[in-house]
């Protein structure tokens, strides 16, 4: 570690906002476990929103008359804003205090949610989803910064484990809750539910959270660095989104975006070596464990988010399950993450992160390879085994990689480290969805016509049916088409499902291979060198 990453000692002023985390905690404010509870409420709101909205999209499209592209941007606008702002938001927390940025993030996220529920046009929905992403970016790194500053080193992994458990449970519970709200209330209720949750989180945050700032926290802003990094992240994520959506991987605009992102990243790296207080001190990445943890988070998100994208289509399109039933089928994954996240924190505290991280990615790889054998007739028990193994593998990676990144950064950069961790997840998820989507499309294009002919269907294939094969769903209007018979509908449905399953199998194979690479990267990790700079002597 260089002098840029020297650990700051907590200030000694007992009365100010920089009150030492090493002093005994009296009362509610600053109590570590109550801090975790307050942080978890806010994190739950954001994590839940990430998947609950997907269930509401069809109802939003029908009610507001949106196009497919507009509906996609309900998710993409949020993702883009989140990815662009995360590291800058973490820097804001390091500068002004994570308590302040967390509370602003909570209030803004809840207000943006209410505005979406009151919107009467798709343009307003997309606009306020972007604001949700920006406020979510303030909230998430601040949550990690608060945990880092509040918990002693020997309990930090357990706290991050519970934090990961809340995220996992909220993410997987979104489709179930979303399905119930859309079916029995309205699509607006999916967003309005964030308002009372946000109020509760804000009240607990005001009462419980304590401001911790490192002695040599940044005092100025690297505006050119912020602009260069934001432009680079924006170009990268936008290019990945559009490549998978409409431009294609060979399109000139795709390569212009991705090439521009590389150029901006290079300019950002050059600029960071010239400025006195850089946005991201590049000396951070001289820590091999921190760099490995960041790469590991990208690869984990690639495999998990990219693979899970197809699981939902498999359950709803091929298996014919409702959104609520699909969410219930994923409960083994959720339950395993809930159970194993705190256990993973305890194991990492006792043995260090390397072995749990390697083991977690091996489990993830085995689950991905195992899911290549899923078929239309696969039973619930077999599916549950693979989903449970996937949850078992993900928990130690979520906890361990987070601890490696945040723990190997100095306290005064804990917000930037938290933003880096979250940004790595968002980029990995966008990359996984885009790349595996392209793998699926290419496999479907290569096999659909042959499968059609092999089924002996007497009419030429409709391009719309080939597109349907990318999602595994037989169009409802197919049975009403002229000349269609029940036998013909069944054979066309078999072609769509078989082609989809072939593409999904290849996508899972790629995801499994990425998980194997991640397991190798995990061998380079080790316990955070600066973990003791948090609340080293706090009394819990």
């Amino acid at each position: 570690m260089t002098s840029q990453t020297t650990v700051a000692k907590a200030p000694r002023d007992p009365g100010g906002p920089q009150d030492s985390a090493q002093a005994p905690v009296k009362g509610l404010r600053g109590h570590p476990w109550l801090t975790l509870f307050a942080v978890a409420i806010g994190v739950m709101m954001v994590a839940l929103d990430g998947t609950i909205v997907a269930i509401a999209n069809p109802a939003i499209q029908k009610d507001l008359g949106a196009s497919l592209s507009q509906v996609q941007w309900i998710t993409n606008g949020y993702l883009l804003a989140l990815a662009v702002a995360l590291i800058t938001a973490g820097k804001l927390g390091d500068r002004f205090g994570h308590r302040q940025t967390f509370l602003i993030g909570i209030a803004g996220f809840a207000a943006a949610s209410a505005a979406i529920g009151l919107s009467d046009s798709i343009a307003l929905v997309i606009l306020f989803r972007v604001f949700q992403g920006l406020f979510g970016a303030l909230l998430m790194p601040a949550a990690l910064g608060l945990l880092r500053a509040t918990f002693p080193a020997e309990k930090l992994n357990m706290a991050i484990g519970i934090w990961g458990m809340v995220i996992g449970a909220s993410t997987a519970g979104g489709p179930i809750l979303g399905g119930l709200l859309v079916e029995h209330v309205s699509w607006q209720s999916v967003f309005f539910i964030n308002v009372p949750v946000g109020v509760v989180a804000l009240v607990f945050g005001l009462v419980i959270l304590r401001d911790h700032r490192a002695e040599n926290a940044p005092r100025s802003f690297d505006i050119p660095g912020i602009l260069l990094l934001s432009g680079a992240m924006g170009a990268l994520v936008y290019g990945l989104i559009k490549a998978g959506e409409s431009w294609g991987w060979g399109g000139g605009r795709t390569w212009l975006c991705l090439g521009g992102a590389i150029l901006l990243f290079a300019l950002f790296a050059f600029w960071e070596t010239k400025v006195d207080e850089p946005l991201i001190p590049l000396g951070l990445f001289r820590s091999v464990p921190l760099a490995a943890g960041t790469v590991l988070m990208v690869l984990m998100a690639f495999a998990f988010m990219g693979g899970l994208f197809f699981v939902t289509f498999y359950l709803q399109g091929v298996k014919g399950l409702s959104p609520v039933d699909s969410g219930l089928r994923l409960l083994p994954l959720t339950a395993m993450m809930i159970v194993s996240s705190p256990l993973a924190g305890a194991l990492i505290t006792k043995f260090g992160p390397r072995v749990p991280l390697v083991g977690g990615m091996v489990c993830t790889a085995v689950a991905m390879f195992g899911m290549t054998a899923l078929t239309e007739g696969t039973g619930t028990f077999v599916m549950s085994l693979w989903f449970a193994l996937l949850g078992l593998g993900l928990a130690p990676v979520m906890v361990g990689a987070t601890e490696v990144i945040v723990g190997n950064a100095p306290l005064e950069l804990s917000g930037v480290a938290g933003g880096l961790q979250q940004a790595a997840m968002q980029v990995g998820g966008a990359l996984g969805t885009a790349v595996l989507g392209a793998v699926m499309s290419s496999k479907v294009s290569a096999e659909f016509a042959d499968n059609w002919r092999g089924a002996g269907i007497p009419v030429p294939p409709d391009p719309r049916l080939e597109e349907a094969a990318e999602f595994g769903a037989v169009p409802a209007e197919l049975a009403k088409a002229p000349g269609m018979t029940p036998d013909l509908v069944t054979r066309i449905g078999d072609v769509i499902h078989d082609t989809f399953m072939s593409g999904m199998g290849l996508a899972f194979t790629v995801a499994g291979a990425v998980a194997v690479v991640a397991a190798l990267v995990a061998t380079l990790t080790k316990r955070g060198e600066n973990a003791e700079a948090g609340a080293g002597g706090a009394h819990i």
Side-chain angles (χ1 to χ4, degrees), residues 36 39-52 139-141 143-144 147 159-175 297 300 304-305 308 333-334 337-338 341-342 394-395 398-399 402 418 421-422 425-426:
L36 175 60
V39 164
I41 298 174
V43 167
M44 178 184 69
M45 180 175 67
V46 177
L48 192 67
D49 200 76
T51 52
I52 198 173
L139 189 158
M140 295 299 276
L144 278 173
L147 295 182
I160 292 177
I162 296 173
W163 178 82
M165 176 188 73
V166 171
I167 291 179
S170 302
T171 300
M297 192 62 77
M300 182 278 294
F304 173 52
M305 295 184 186
L308 198 63
L333 188 155
T334 312
M337 288 192 71
I338 291 173
S341 289
L394 290 171
M398 286 288 293
V399 177
T402 300
Q421 181 264 356
Q422 289 290 312
M425 278 195 65
Q426 298 302 324

Side-chain angles (χ1 to χ4, degrees), residues 154-189:
E154 67 272 12
K155 288 186 170 66
L156 179 61
N157 288 318
M158 179 64 72
I160 292 177
I162 296 173
W163 178 82
M165 176 188 73
V166 171
I167 291 179
S170 302
T171 300
I176 301 173
L177 180 59
L180 292 172
L181 288 173
V182 171
E183 187 174 337
H184 297 292
V185 187
S186 66
W187 68 262
Q188 289 91 341
S189 64

Side-chain angles (χ1 to χ4, degrees), residues 466-539:
E466 181 175 329
E467 183 178 341
E470 295 182 7
F471 301 99
V474 180
E477 63 273 14
L478 181 64
K480 301 177 183 178
M484 280 294 163
T485 64
D487 175 66
L488 200 53
V489 171
T490 299
R491 281 194 281 170
I492 292 174
D494 289 341
V495 170
I496 289 175
H497 290 163
D498 290 345
T499 308
F500 172 83
M501 295 304 299
S502 179
M504 186 179 78
L506 180 58
F508 279 141
T509 300
V510 174
V514 169
V516 170
V517 174
L520 297 175
V521 172
T523 62
L524 301 175
T525 61
K526 66 177 181 179
R527 193 184 303 277
E529 295 176 7
N530 300 319
E532 68 277 6
H539 291 254

Side-chain angles (χ1 to χ4, degrees), residues 324-347:
V324 175
D325 287 337
S326 297
L328 291 172
R329 291 299 191 281
L330 288 170
L331 278 179
L333 188 155
T334 312
M336 191 58 70
M337 288 192 71
I338 291 173
V339 171
S340 57
S341 289
L343 293 177
L347 286 173

